[in-house]
Amino acid sequence: MCFYLSMRTFIKYIQQFWSTLVPDKKLSGRVSSDWSFIGFQGTDPKTDFRGMGMLGLHNLLFFVTQYTEKARQLLQHSHHPKYGYSFAIVGINITSMTYQLLCNGHLKSHLQNTVKKAPSLFHFHVVFSYLLYEFDKFWFDEQPADIMEFGRVRDKFQARIVQYLSNPHAKLKPLFEQSSS
């Protein structure tokens, strides 16, 4: 019963993720090749969430619902003929990175400088959204030869974020303050 409720919740959220990100494209089924369009690896997106589970899905859903136009812009970037990447898979990877930054204490200065009360899941979602948006720019600046360079580019990006966050006055800028690119 508990698994059934989790699966029902997953289906609801994954369908909302799809319909918000690509409202003009009808999904042919919960299990279909359509999912590759938004960056899942197989026909069933649930298999791609094994590492980050519902946290990965919640982050992606937060990003597409709170920053819809920016999410659609990143999806377009992910389809670039030379520098394209798997949008959803990168989002799940950035969820993992955000979680590591939190667990390793790297987000402490940012959270102390931006959150007046106790940080919540909302603040985690905002940091994730910032990192995903910034990673997209970083990816294109790096001009990787192919997707196989993802690990190298991700590690370099994470090192730069960790270095920035080592400043006790560090504040990650909200997306609405970012320039359009």
Side-chain angles (χ1 to χ4, degrees):
M1 183 71 171
C2 185
F3 175 77
Y4 174 74
L5 292 175
S6 290
M7 192 58 177
R8 281 184 39 191
T9 301
F10 173 80
I11 291 169
K12 175 184 164 191
Y13 288 161
I14 198 72
Q15 287 174 337
Q16 184 182 359
F17 175 62
W18 175 276
S19 64
T20 304
L21 189 58
V22 284
D24 298 334
K25 191 169 173 69
K26 184 166 174 32
L27 183 62
S28 63
R30 194 193 71 73
V31 176
S32 78
S33 61
D34 295 350
W35 293 107
S36 66
F37 181 75
I38 61 174
F40 288 101
Q41 294 176 331
T43 58
D44 188 351
K46 79 176 179 184
T47 61
D48 290 327
F49 288 100
R50 285 178 293 224
M52 284 282 91
M54 288 298 283
L55 181 59
L57 180 54
H58 279 282
N59 273 341
L60 286 168
L61 188 56
F62 179 88
F63 183 63
V64 302
T65 57
Q66 297 300 308
Y67 305 106
T68 306
E69 290 310 311
K70 292 192 183 307
R72 290 177 183 158
Q73 180 185 40
L74 265 60
L75 180 63
Q76 275 186 323
H77 291 179
S78 77
H79 292 153
H80 188 278
K82 185 168 182 175
Y83 303 121
Y85 58 86
S86 298
F87 176 76
I89 296 301
V90 167
I92 294 166
N93 270 271
I94 299 298
T95 294
S96 177
M97 179 189 299
T98 308
Y99 182 73
Q100 289 171 8
L101 291 170
L102 179 67
C103 291
N104 293 334
H106 297 298
L107 291 177
K108 185 177 180 179
S109 60
H110 164 74
L111 293 171
Q112 287 176 336
N113 294 326
T114 60
V115 179
K116 292 182 171 125
K117 295 182 179 179
S120 67
L121 185 57
F122 170 83
H123 300 102
F124 185 85
H125 291 323
V126 171
V127 169
F128 160 81
S129 297
Y130 170 84
L131 292 174
L132 181 58
Y133 184 77
E134 289 299 314
F135 180 82
D136 174 79
K137 290 192 293 187
F138 189 80
W139 177 260
F140 280 89
D141 288 346
E142 285 290 300
Q143 299 182 345
D146 56 35
I147 194 65
M148 298 308 290
E149 288 196 66
F150 176 78
R152 177 192 65 78
V153 174
R154 181 202 56 224
D155 292 348
K156 186 175 179 181
F157 176 74
Q158 185 170 351
R160 288 201 178 168
I161 293 296
V162 168
Q163 180 182 6
Y164 175 76
L165 290 170
S166 68
N167 178 337
H169 303 291
K171 289 183 185 179
L172 301 173
K173 292 169 69 175
L175 285 178
F176 58 82
E177 292 180 12
Q178 301 295 325
S179 61
S180 306
S181 57

